[in-house]
Structures are given as C-alpha cells and as structure tokens.
Amino acid sequence: MFRPLSRIKRLRIPRRKFSTVATGTAAVFGFVCCLLLHVAAQGNEGQNNERDDAAAAAAFETIIPVLHHPRCMNCHLTGDFPRQGDDSHRHTMQVLRGPDGDGALAVKCSTCQQDHNLDGLHVPPGAPDWHLPSPAAPMIWEGLGDHQLCELFKDPKQNGNRTVGQIVEHMSTPLALWGWNPGDGRTPVPMPEAQFLAKVKEWAAKGAACPAEGNGPQPHEK
C-alpha cells in the first residue's frame, strides 16, 4: 500500500535534521578532542620547565662573570656616557647617553659605529642597533651584588619595561653577542657563547629566581 506523498515528506524531514545534527556533533567532538590534546601538550611542556629556584639561581650565578666583563660593563657602568677598552676608560670622543641612548646632538653612536666591526686594530667596533640603554632605564649595575643585579633584570621599572622573556631575547641579539666578536684589539668574553645563552634560558625556564642576598657588590676597576 502506498503512503501519501505528504506522509513521505514528513518522514524525510526528521532524517535530514538528524544527519545535520550528527555531523555538527561530530565536528564539535573533534574540536574538543583537539583542544584537549593541545592543553595536554602545554601541560607537558610546563612540566619540562618546572620552577626550580636553586637551579635558576645557580644558572644566573654562572653568567655573572659575563655581565661583569668589560664588553658588557662598558655600557652598564655608572655615568651618562659609554666607556672603552679593557680598562673601561671614558669614551675618547666624549659621547653622551642622549635622550634615547644613541648619543646627543651631532655626536651620535651611528656617526662612527656601523652594523659591523671595521677591519683594523682599535678601529670603531659595530653591531646592529648600537646604543646605550636609555636614561629612563640606564641598566647600570656597577657595584650591585648578584641578587641585586638579578632583581634589576626582572624589574620592568628598571629594565625598560621588559619581561624576563624579553631580557632573554635581548641576550641573543647581535648587539649583546658582539661581546664574543669585539674586533681586533679587544678581549672577547671568555665563556663560550652557547654556554652563556643556555644558562640564560635555563634561568628563565626554571622560574628566574635570584641568588641569595648577602653576596657583596662586585666593584669594577677602571
């Protein structure tokens, strides 16, 4: 016995709806599964970088000799000017920090410093974006103890409003890494570059804890 056409249409409509709902449910289920896998992966990554204050502090202690080396200190000593040489004497061209850290008036860093070292003994060195820290956050750490220096690195009010991650990024810039390739007549940083970068990243990944207070200031002989 044949069913009326209207009856057939009434039966087909729910089936189409069911198919649409089933397809949508499958899509949502797949999305949820992907989301859960992503969250789980992030959780595993976090476990690999669990906070370890002792390890972080030890890593920072390891990089202290680099931070106190003349290749770093010449831009981070007291005074509103850069310094030169292994003896950290005042810049012979009387360069000043300036409002942006790149010199004042006509005496700009870029007047002599290019984006690379020039060939020859004691000629102007260079790296991309050569400059001092700005007056707003001069990042001077002469005389600071290890704990104080570490805290300065983490304080946005003193470090140029940077996060710990951005401090790590700065350590990997050509300007910072210039210390390992300073040109003829200048002593490079003795610690291997790869070891330094690994310790900086370890310090951040383990929670960026600082060495214990009480370490005396590290005077820099000029």
Side-chain angles (χ1 to χ4, degrees):
M1 181 176 182
F2 295 100
R3 295 179 179 176
L5 182 59
S6 59
R7 177 59 177 169
I8 295 175
K9 289 181 178 180
R10 285 197 299 270
L11 291 175
R12 288 179 178 176
I13 292 174
R15 290 175 182 174
R16 290 176 182 175
K17 289 183 179 179
F18 175 79
S19 177
T20 302
V21 171
T23 302
T25 302
V28 171
F29 179 76
F31 172 78
V32 171
C33 288
C34 291
L35 182 61
L36 290 174
L37 289 174
H38 177 69
V39 171
Q42 287 186 324
N44 291 334
E45 182 179 353
Q47 291 176 0
N48 293 333
N49 292 330
E50 289 182 353
R51 184 183 182 93
D52 186 335
D53 289 352
F60 192 85
E61 287 278 11
T62 302
I63 68 173
I64 288 293
V66 175
L67 301 177
H68 284 287
H69 191 274
R71 298 292 75 78
C72 289
M73 290 295 287
N74 282 352
C75 288
H76 296 281
L77 284 169
T78 55
D80 200 29
F81 50 83
R83 298 177 183 267
Q84 294 176 304
D86 289 350
D87 62 349
S88 298
H89 60 270
R90 181 167 181 165
H91 199 291
T92 56
M93 300 302 292
Q94 301 301 308
V95 176
L96 297 176
R97 188 183 303 276
D100 299 315
D102 59 354
L105 302 176
V107 187
K108 296 289 187 179
C109 297
S110 57
T111 301
C112 296
Q113 267 74 31
Q114 301 182 26
D115 62 359
H116 61 279
N117 294 327
L118 299 180
D119 294 331
L121 187 64
H122 301 302
V123 297
D129 196 27
W130 190 279
H131 68 284
L132 287 172
S134 73
M139 292 287 283
I140 293 172
W141 56 73
E142 180 181 8
L144 297 184
D146 297 352
H147 177 84
Q148 294 171 309
L149 176 52
C150 178
E151 291 293 346
L152 180 148
F153 271 34
K154 298 194 296 179
D155 184 359
K157 295 180 180 179
Q158 299 186 72
N159 70 12
N161 200 33
R162 294 183 175 94
T163 63
V164 169
Q166 289 170 326
I167 290 292
V168 174
E169 290 176 4
H170 173 72
M171 296 296 191
S172 302
T173 61
L175 179 60
L177 297 181
W178 169 85
W180 281 266
N181 181 33
D184 295 338
R186 302 177 189 89
T187 304
V189 175
M191 178 185 290
E193 177 185 308
Q195 180 184 356
F196 171 77
L197 292 176
K199 289 298 180 181
V200 170
K201 293 176 181 177
E202 180 183 355
W203 169 68
K206 297 295 185 181
C210 294
E213 294 189 61
N215 291 351
Q218 303 289 331
H220 188 81
E221 297 181 1
K222 301 184 286 294

